[in-house]
Amino acid sequence: SYVYVMCPWISKYQWHAFTIFPEPTKENHTMLCIENSGDWTKELHRKIRVPCLRPLYVLGPYKSPFSDAAVTTSNAIAVASGIGITPTLSLVLNYAGKKRINVVWACRDPGLVEYILHKIDIGAITKKSYAFIFYTGTRELALPKDLPSNIFIFTGRPHLEHTITGIVTAIHSGDGLPEEIYEAQEKIANAPFQQRMKVALSRVVEIYNKDEMFEYAVEETEKVAAAAVAEDPAPESDGTIDTAPLDDSDPETAPLLFSPDEVPEGQVSLKGLDSMISEFLGGIGEYSRSDIEALFHEIDSDGSGFIDRDEFDDFIGMITMESRTLSDSQHELLSAMERSMDVRRSSIDSSVRRSTHNNILGNDTTIRYMQNLLKYSEGDNPLEDWSIFYCGGSNEIAQILREVTSKYNIDFAVEKFDW
């Protein structure tokens, strides 16, 4: 839905239409997300730079004619650019649980991407769908610590035909249903960290060489120590671990524990272990500062404040022995974590790594899948239960989508913003 807004302290004669969206932190409240894109909105942004109370007139709400025309099928792909994400998410929220609406969003405004990801639970309203965010800005994003497994973020512009055919192929073939991935992620989140860690390591040591893992942790230990000292030289350490209180929700805020000259050669600090876990065990879910400290102390058997190679090998050996007698629940957890890690691996930039069986991002293989689907269908349109709609101001994106939908005989609608 949308409303017309008139701000008398800007102009008593101008009414402007904006999409409304439920305010995620306040019950029974509605918000407007307004981009600085013209004279009126520029003046609005200038006059409300700080929180304030100002009178305004609101006319509506009205249901957008686009809402009925867009989602006529059980499966849909909502493509948005820039501020077009607000009407898109309103539509997705309206049909949550009723239709499978996948989201593809291209945006260059880091503030808008961060606001949406931190304030709106996109993962929950799209848990039976995929949400792809293509960030085209220059500043690095400040992302939530642990994104839902059905949300993927890429830097750069989307290859729309690859992306669309990847989504359709994954869902139509059943080899990549987002609800299965979402359920797997919930199962991971509900398991204790120590259990997740040990189960994941039992799988990872079959894929990666433990020499590679340990050497990476050592390199990160030395790199972090050197960088921190270069930025802010610290007083001499007494050789003990700094246990100053931290924000328990973000292990990446861990302080420098030792200066470079105090790091024993070939040994791993707390930060080095944390970096190794992030690099090699990306599917274990969220964990806290206290979680990683407890694991570190378990491995650091002599209490030196560092993990040497013998301690690391002993720990991996213990994990390997335990993996031979995993319980049924641990096998289920392992299966969920393997799925999560495979999906994350398949989401890496197309020029890097690819999953061999489930490439959700799309490529020439998914294009051929859909072409064969149409070629060998017996009269009926195999994609008649799919539709695509677009919200945004890019004529280039709209034209590409027209060509793609025409090629695969998929219904297409565009939000005109002419209301």
Side-chain angles (χ1 to χ4, degrees), residues 224-235:
V224 172
V229 169
E231 292 177 5
D232 184 21

Side-chain angles (χ1 to χ4, degrees), residues 246-261:
L246 294 169
D247 177 3
D248 195 52
S249 65
D250 186 5
E252 293 186 359
T253 61
L256 174 66
L257 305 183
F258 300 90
S259 62
D261 57 349

Side-chain angles (χ1 to χ4, degrees), residues 66-76 91 95 99 101 387 389 413:
F66 174 66
S67 299
D68 290 328
V71 189
T72 58
T73 55
S74 299
N75 297 291
L91 202 60
Y95 287 105
K99 296 177 182 287
I101 304 180
S387 60
F389 54 94

Side-chain angles (χ1 to χ4, degrees), residues 2-49:
Y2 65 97
V3 294
Y4 287 99
V5 174
M6 188 272 281
C7 299
W9 32 276
I10 297 179
S11 171
K12 296 180 180 179
Y13 308 103
Q14 293 187 38
W15 292 80
H16 294 265
F18 298 101
T19 302
I20 60 176
F21 194 85
E23 216 290 342
T25 61
K26 297 179 181 179
E27 188 176 358
N28 297 322
H29 280 66
T30 295
M31 71 175 186
L32 303 177
C33 197
I34 302 176
E35 184 180 31
N36 185 351
S37 60
D39 293 340
W40 190 89
T41 55
K42 186 180 296 182
E43 186 68 7
L44 176 66
H45 277 246
R46 188 183 71 80
K47 291 190 173 182
I48 56 171
R49 288 179 178 171

Side-chain angles (χ1 to χ4, degrees), residues 67-312:
S67 299
D68 290 328
V71 189
T72 58
T73 55
S74 299
N75 297 291
I77 299 175
V79 182
S81 58
I83 199 66
I85 191 62
T86 51
T88 298
L89 289 180
S90 293
L91 202 60
V92 172
L93 183 63
N94 185 52
Y95 287 105
K98 304 171 188 175
K99 296 177 182 287
R100 192 194 297 272
I101 304 180
N102 305 274
V103 176
V104 177
W105 178 31
C107 184
R108 66 171 177 264
D109 182 350
L112 180 57
V113 175
E114 291 164 353
Y115 181 84
I116 294 294
L117 288 176
H118 283 277
K119 294 291 186 180
I120 299 173
D121 191 357
I122 299 180
I125 64 176
T126 62
K127 64 181 180 181
K128 290 189 176 181
S129 311
Y130 288 113
F132 289 168
I133 300 173
F134 292 87
Y135 173 58
T136 59
T138 55
R139 174 171 71 75
E140 185 175 349
L141 292 173
L143 299 174
K145 175 62 183 174
D146 200 57
L147 290 170
S149 59
N150 60 325
I151 296 180
F152 300 86
I153 300 178
F154 308 91
T155 54
R157 302 180 68 181
H159 186 302
L160 287 171
E161 185 173 8
H162 282 175
T163 303
I164 289 169
T165 58
I167 293 172
V168 175
T169 299
I171 294 174
H172 187 275
S173 68
D175 185 28
L177 293 174
E179 59 266 35
E180 293 179 357
I181 298 171
Y182 192 89
E183 290 170 5
Q185 192 71 11
E186 283 192 327
K187 188 173 293 184
I188 294 169
N190 292 332
F193 170 73
Q194 289 277 13
Q195 183 182 3
R196 283 183 275 141
M197 170 60 61
K198 292 179 178 180
V199 170
L201 272 173
S202 70
R203 174 72 174 95
V204 168
V205 294
E206 297 176 4
I207 303 173
Y208 298 103
N209 187 301
K210 64 181 180 180
D211 293 338
E212 180 183 0
M213 296 168 62
F214 185 76
E215 288 169 7
Y216 181 89
V218 170
E219 289 174 4
E220 287 299 303
T221 296
E222 297 169 349
K223 186 188 304 180
V224 172
V229 169
E231 292 177 5
D232 184 21
E236 291 187 5
S237 168
D238 61 3
T240 59
I241 291 181
D242 180 2
T243 56
L246 294 169
D247 177 3
D248 195 52
S249 65
D250 186 5
E252 293 186 359
T253 61
L256 174 66
L257 305 183
F258 300 90
S259 62
D261 57 349
E262 295 174 313
V263 176
E265 184 177 356
Q267 296 195 27
V268 176
S269 69
L270 176 64
K271 185 60 182 177
L273 178 66
D274 184 27
S275 298
M276 187 272 287
I277 290 171
S278 297
E279 176 69 14
F280 290 91
L281 288 82
I284 65 168
E286 190 170 0
Y287 55 90
S288 68
R289 163 73 172 181
S290 59
D291 286 332
I292 194 67
E293 280 187 339
L295 178 67
F296 182 88
H297 288 301
E298 180 179 348
I299 305 173
D300 180 24
S301 57
D302 61 5
S304 66
F306 291 98
I307 298 171
D308 61 30
R309 183 55 194 263
D310 289 339
E311 290 170 328
F312 184 79

